[in-house]
Amino acid sequence: MADSSTCSSASSCDRESCEGCPGANGGQPQSMQEEMNAYSDIKHVIGDVSGKGGVGKSMVTASLANLLASKGYRVGIMDADITGPSIPRMYGLTGLAEASEEGILPRLTDNDVKVMSINLLLPNPEDPVIWRGPILAGLVKQFWHDVIWGELDYLLVDMPPGTGDVPLTVFQSLPVDGIFVVTSPQDLVKMIVKKAYKMAEEMHIPVLGLIENYSYLICPDCGKEIPVFGKSRIQEVADEMGILVAGKMPIDPKLTELSDAGEFAKAENPYLEAAYAALQILSVKD
Ligand code: ADP
């Protein structure tokens, strides 16, 4: 029989149990958040989202991780882009993650960023992941409660593009403090930002800022900024929606080189200082 102490409709209810009933918990929605691993202590969870693949979301996530690590913060990257994982390759992490009775241990990059990715769990990282949405989403939950993250100031979650099962699961299951939306000048920026904004708003998660990648190219001869993909509209969209422009990253061949060589731990990125400042504000509130 329904429990009258927690149920708003117990008197008129003939259910055997409260499970799955919207009236349970005094009519309050039940939290769908997953429990963190007992050996983890994570202060802030930040998501990086994009409308489509290839806009440089992983590049932005890793750059932000490097920036935070260089300032002395303890940082982790959860590679939730399960069908297109690229974080381990960027940092030259090969082989499998170790596991113990307590959980799975993340791998450490040369600049002390902790990483967990499907590529560190599959014997052959070249095998395609062809699982359906619910299984992918379940894996993200495992990355949260089965991985021993230890003490982290920031866990950056590199999300798959779009608004599918995995981003939804991350928003529902993890205590996300905010997201950055990564776009490129070619994107239908306004539509993509609005979609991401609406999804985050429905989950009561703030959009911390917009980051434009491939904003321009610096001419190697004269140093002039060339807007290769046309005029940027990011500021316009940000102003209209009252969101911060948290960074404009140029096309920088050095970043690609380091990423392709698995040496991204050496990559410095001066273009994300505004994003860093937005994250520091979160820390001040601690
Ligand atoms: P996404 O995660 O959005 O799919 P990636 O971060 O994997 O995209 O970037 C796609 C490719 O573009 C990668 O090879 C990456 O090294 C390269 N890339 C991304 N951003 C830049 C940049 N600002 N300058 C140079 N190369 C970049």
Side-chain angles (χ1 to χ4, degrees):
M1 187 65 185
D3 178 358
S4 59
S5 64
T6 59
C7 183
S8 58
S9 52
S11 57
S12 57
C13 178
D14 58 0
R15 278 168 164 254
E16 285 292 312
S17 100
C18 292
E19 198 180 341
C21 175
N25 199 25
Q28 297 299 310
Q30 275 186 336
S31 170
M32 294 173 77
Q33 282 198 0
E34 286 289 311
E35 244 179 73
M36 204 191 291
N37 183 281
Y39 297 90
S40 297
D41 179 7
I42 302 171
K43 285 193 182 150
H44 298 291
V45 180
I46 307 297
D48 283 334
V49 309
S50 67
K52 62 171 196 240
V55 297
K57 181 182 39 59
S58 302
M59 174 68 83
V60 166
T61 304
S63 298
L64 207 47
N66 283 6
L67 186 59
L68 288 162
S70 74
K71 311 259 187 191
Y73 288 100
R74 298 160 302 178
V75 191
I77 301 177
M78 181 195 286
D79 190 358
D81 195 352
I82 291 156
T83 53
S86 46
I87 300 290
R89 187 182 43 80
M90 293 175 80
Y91 287 101
L93 298 174
T94 53
L96 296 176
E98 285 178 23
S100 71
E101 289 275 302
E102 287 77 29
I104 308 165
L105 290 163
R107 295 284 303 277
L108 207 57
T109 67
D110 287 345
N111 57 340
D112 290 336
V113 174
K114 290 179 180 173
V115 173
M116 183 44 63
S117 168
I118 185 70
N119 270 6
L120 302 173
L121 301 176
L122 291 178
N124 183 4
E126 265 127 50
D127 285 347
V129 172
I130 46 175
W131 302 327
R132 289 186 193 277
I135 296 184
L136 301 178
L139 197 65
V140 165
K141 290 186 192 173
Q142 274 187 280
F143 282 176
W144 180 249
H145 62 67
D146 290 351
V147 172
I148 303 170
W149 290 102
E151 290 189 10
L152 289 182
D153 296 304
Y154 295 101
L155 177 68
L156 307 181
V157 184
D158 190 22
M159 307 260 212
T163 48
D165 278 351
V166 171
L168 190 63
T169 301
V170 171
F171 286 161
Q172 284 177 335
S173 319
L174 274 53
V176 181
D177 289 273
I179 59 165
F180 288 110
V181 182
V182 184
T183 65
S184 77
Q186 286 169 303
D187 268 346
L188 301 164
V189 178
K190 202 163 163 182
M191 191 186 78
I192 283 166
V193 172
K194 277 199 168 161
K195 264 192 186 172
Y197 186 88
K198 272 198 117 173
M199 188 179 192
E201 194 181 34
E202 278 182 28
M203 307 281 164
H204 309 289
I205 294 168
V207 177
L208 299 174
L210 309 182
I211 297 176
E212 187 180 69
N213 192 24
Y214 312 128
S215 280
Y216 53 92
L217 176 77
I218 301 170
C219 171
D221 295 326
C222 66
K224 197 174 154 206
E225 290 180 10
I226 305 164
V228 184
F229 296 118
K231 191 175 168 285
S232 164
R233 269 184 288 277
I234 197 86
Q235 191 67 56
E236 210 177 290
V237 175
D239 288 347
E240 191 184 318
M241 301 192 66
I243 310 173
L244 171 85
V245 173
K248 287 173 99 175
M249 274 180 48
I251 300 164
D252 184 343
K254 201 146 181 243
L255 293 177
T256 330
E257 242 169 65
L258 288 169
S259 165
D260 289 351
E263 293 179 0
F264 205 73
K266 293 183 189 158
E268 285 175 18
N269 188 325
Y271 313 107
L272 296 175
E273 285 292 340
Y276 171 65
L279 291 180
Q280 270 191 309
I281 292 171
L282 290 180
S283 289
V284 170
K285 290 182 193 158
D286 288 342

